[in-house]
Amino acid sequence: MKRRLGIAALAAVLLAGGLLWGLEARRESVLTVGVYAGSYWQTPNGDCYQILDDAIALFQERRPGVRVEYVSGIPTDDYSEWLAGRILKGTEPDLCFILPEDFNLLASSGALAELDGFMASDVEFDAGAYYEPCLRAGRLGGKQYALPQESVPTIMFVNKTLLESRGIPLPDNRWTWEDFYDICAQVTDLDSRTFGVYDYTWQNALYANGASLFSEDGTACCLADERVQAAVRFAKSLTDLNGGYTVTARDFDLGRVAFRPFLFSEYRAYQPYPWRVRKYSGFEWDCVCMPAGPDGDNVSELRTMLLGISARSGHRELAWELARLLSADDAVQSELYAYSHGISPVRRVAENARDLDLPGSFPAELIREIMSTAVTAPRFERSDQAMMMAESAVAEAGDQEQRMLIAQREINVFLNQ
């Protein structure tokens, strides 16, 4: 009898334990994250998941009932298609890294949750901690759909060896279009196949001339604006120096070109030894800010990797907490300088000279100015199509202002349909 009672009691204990375990298991939340493998900036990356793994470990410490999962091994080039496929199937991750070129479509299609409510109600969140251009990159139509995770501005690579061979000093960070053109003209020699610049576009000139191609709300195109027209004319004047020859990336890599706009990540990755020897061993190079137009400053376009929450996520609060940790936590953001080549969108992290440790002509204090004045192209529902229309118009019209005015009217009709 006693034995039967003992067995019954043990069974009851085991049953209760099993029920409790089952309840605990059901209470565990699984938060999924979408992330790519490698570097979006196409630079050497020793451990592409380290920052995310460390953030997840910290997050799970704070949230013991939550397990965070992600699929590894998705190449950067395949990531957009992978994410789109998941969204179509309704199996997208709760939180996802968003490539700069994908943000507009994801936000305008309703795939991303609005974050303004989280930002306003979360006492631990401080929008003022970010550089404004970085935070603006995740905004569409006046609403915030993503937080910045990592940013990279455009700067100008300079072939020091080529300039020195012509007795030309390295330009400083306050140089102008006039300085830029003069150096390109001095360097260009069609007989020896040396050229002034590769891959400098009218869009590069546009930002540096204090102009914007579209209004913030996306209802008006400014293609016929004199500052925009000046940018188009200036970019064409540089191309005309080449006498019809099309300068290529190979020309630059071989040391035949004085200037080339590049992402700042390239500078951080390849300036230190031995990477610079592996990438550009034939010549010495450095970097400076983009040249300023007559109506602008030494500013450039900013690209920002973003973090967005699925509009269909059942764990929005948890996804917000992890997004905030990845985006704004000092310790997590500081790891960008160990495991990536971008710049933190958080002011106090980006301006920490000890962590940044930049070589060459970019002291840490210059980062503040670069990041504070960088330009993020306006984002709105039809911005991609409108930009394609503008590029086509510039290519066809050249510097014919009347045709530009006609193109501007056509784009405005398109924007307001």
Side-chain angles (χ1 to χ4, degrees):
M1 183 66 178
K2 287 183 180 180
R3 185 170 179 272
R4 288 181 181 176
L5 288 174
I7 292 173
L10 178 61
V13 170
L14 291 172
L15 178 61
L19 288 172
L20 287 173
W21 181 87
L23 289 172
E24 286 297 321
R26 283 196 294 274
R27 273 203 295 266
E28 182 184 56
S29 297
V30 177
L31 187 67
T32 55
V33 178
V35 63
Y36 52 87
S39 169
Y40 171 75
W41 317 115
Q42 303 300 314
T43 53
N45 193 328
D47 194 336
C48 61
Y49 298 117
Q50 190 64 53
I51 297 174
L52 178 59
D53 287 340
D54 290 346
I56 288 174
L58 184 58
F59 178 77
Q60 291 182 154
E61 232 177 74
R62 299 174 182 177
R63 286 283 195 170
V66 181
R67 178 161 47 90
V68 182
E69 296 180 346
Y70 65 86
V71 177
S72 61
I74 304 168
T76 308
D77 292 342
D78 298 337
Y79 179 69
S80 297
E81 185 177 349
W82 175 86
L83 183 59
R86 287 297 186 96
I87 291 172
L88 287 174
K89 293 177 182 177
T91 59
E92 71 270 23
D94 299 293
L95 175 67
C96 57
F97 284 74
I98 302 173
L99 308 187
E101 61 268 26
D102 294 340
F103 170 71
N104 191 34
L105 177 60
L106 292 174
S108 63
S109 66
L112 302 178
E114 293 180 23
L115 303 183
D116 298 277
F118 290 112
M119 293 167 64
S121 61
D122 190 341
V123 295
E124 294 184 36
F125 181 78
D126 178 16
Y130 297 101
Y131 291 108
E132 173 56 26
C134 300
L135 191 61
R136 193 187 310 134
R139 201 175 295 153
L140 180 68
K143 297 177 181 178
Q144 197 77 32
Y145 289 95
L147 292 180
Q149 189 267 336
E150 179 180 13
S151 294
V152 171
T154 302
I155 55 175
M156 187 71 82
F157 269 42
V158 185
N159 184 329
K160 292 171 62 177
T161 301
L162 183 55
L163 262 58
E164 288 171 0
S165 72
R166 306 298 172 87
I168 304 171
L170 185 77
D172 61 29
N173 287 302
R174 290 300 181 189
W175 65 325
T176 66
W177 280 3
E178 185 178 357
D179 301 324
F180 185 24
Y181 183 87
D182 287 347
I183 296 174
C184 288
Q186 292 178 62
V187 166
T188 301
D189 185 335
L190 301 181
D191 293 331
S192 63
R193 288 286 181 97
T194 56
F195 305 95
V197 64
Y198 165 68
D199 205 27
Y200 183 84
T201 68
W202 62 271
Q203 289 97 327
N204 294 137
L206 175 83
Y207 301 127
N209 202 35
S212 177
L213 189 57
F214 303 104
S215 61
E216 280 290 335
D217 61 2
T219 60
C221 174
C222 310
L223 191 59
D225 184 287
E226 174 51 32
R227 292 171 300 173
V228 177
Q229 289 302 298
V232 173
R233 290 193 298 269
F234 178 67
K236 184 178 183 300
S237 72
L238 292 172
T239 301
D240 289 345
L241 289 173
N242 302 327
Y245 177 79
T246 301
V247 183
T248 66
R250 178 169 172 76
D251 289 319
F252 179 83
D253 292 345
L254 292 174
R256 298 172 181 168
V257 183
F259 300 107
R260 179 181 182 179
F262 257 128
L263 294 180
F264 191 83
S265 51
E266 190 94 352
Y267 174 72
R268 286 200 61 231
Y270 295 113
Q271 177 64 271
Y273 180 87
W275 289 110
R276 74 178 291 160
V277 174
R278 298 181 188 180
K279 184 70 173 178
Y280 305 111
S281 58
F283 58 96
E284 289 292 316
W285 55 270
D286 208 330
C287 293
V288 293
C289 291
M290 300 293 280
D295 293 310
D297 209 339
N298 302 93
V299 302
S300 61
E301 185 177 7
L302 186 74
R303 299 188 188 183
T304 299
M305 185 61 61
L306 298 162
L307 293 163
I309 298 171
S310 167
R312 294 183 291 201
S313 171
H315 303 294
R316 290 196 195 183
E317 292 280 352
L318 293 172
W320 164 258
E321 288 182 30
L322 181 55
R324 186 191 65 207
L325 180 67
L326 280 162
S327 175
D329 183 83
D330 286 13
V332 173
Q333 278 290 306
S334 293
E335 290 192 347
L336 286 173
Y337 301 125
Y339 302 109
S340 188
H341 294 107
I343 299 176
S344 172
V346 179
R347 294 173 180 270
R348 59 180 174 268
V349 177
E351 295 169 21
N352 187 324
R354 181 188 59 207
D355 288 342
L356 193 55
D357 190 26
L358 287 175
S361 59
F362 276 92
E365 60 267 18
L366 187 58
I367 294 301
R368 178 185 307 165
E369 185 172 351
I370 292 174
M371 296 295 286
S372 298
T373 61
V375 176
T376 298
R379 298 283 187 178
F380 47 91
E381 188 173 350
R382 297 185 172 187
S383 59
D384 292 340
Q385 300 99 310
M387 176 58 81
M388 290 175 63
M389 291 175 69
E391 290 174 344
S392 177
V394 169
E396 293 174 6
D399 57 359
Q400 299 178 42
E401 295 184 12
Q402 186 60 33
R403 294 190 65 180
M404 290 290 197
L405 185 59
I406 294 172
Q408 175 178 285
R409 290 171 181 164
E410 292 174 349
I411 295 172
N412 282 337
V413 170
F414 168 76
L415 291 174
N416 290 280
Q417 285 177 342

